[in-house]
Amino acid sequence: MSRHGEDDKFWAVLVNSGIAVVIAAGIVCICSLWIGPHYTVWSAGMAGQAKLMQAEQEKKIMVEQARAEMESAKLRAEAIQIVGKASKEFPEYRHQEFIGAFAEALKEGNVQQIIYVPTEANIPIIEAKRQVSTEK
């Protein structure tokens, strides 16, 4: 074969490859024109579903928090009722509770000064007068 025949084959292969590349590029462009809008609609739908699921999850969380707060409030009410009953049945209960809270405040360093107030029947004595006896 001659050199000219090989050049013709080379150019034929090159032209055929170029045509194949142009056809492939055209197919890719046509597919992207068709797939692009469909993908946009699909991705928007998926984003909407994700937002909906997130909103539902947040709603469930809020409902569970409300239930927990309600249960906590019921338990606090029961505790207050028990403490009230105990303080009625045992008057010294409040006194012991105060002493415990005072001791805790002393331990934490929240009390800087202690003032003793003299009392009589748990009523502070505001004035103390000296009684002068007239008898001698």
Side-chain angles (χ1 to χ4, degrees), residues 46-95:
M46 294 311 262
Q49 284 182 352
K51 285 182 182 177
L52 179 63
M53 292 177 89
Q54 182 179 4
E56 288 175 357
Q57 191 64 28
E58 288 173 359
K59 178 184 170 187
K60 287 179 183 179
I61 290 170
M62 290 175 68
V63 167
E64 287 303 316
Q65 285 177 340
R67 283 186 184 146
E69 288 175 10
M70 190 169 65
E71 184 68 25
S72 175
K74 286 179 183 177
L75 292 173
R76 277 194 306 269
E78 287 178 18
I80 290 170
Q81 186 179 18
I82 291 169
V83 168
K85 185 178 177 184
S87 65
K88 283 180 184 175
E89 291 180 14
F90 307 101
E92 66 276 2
Y93 172 78
R94 287 286 183 197
H95 183 69

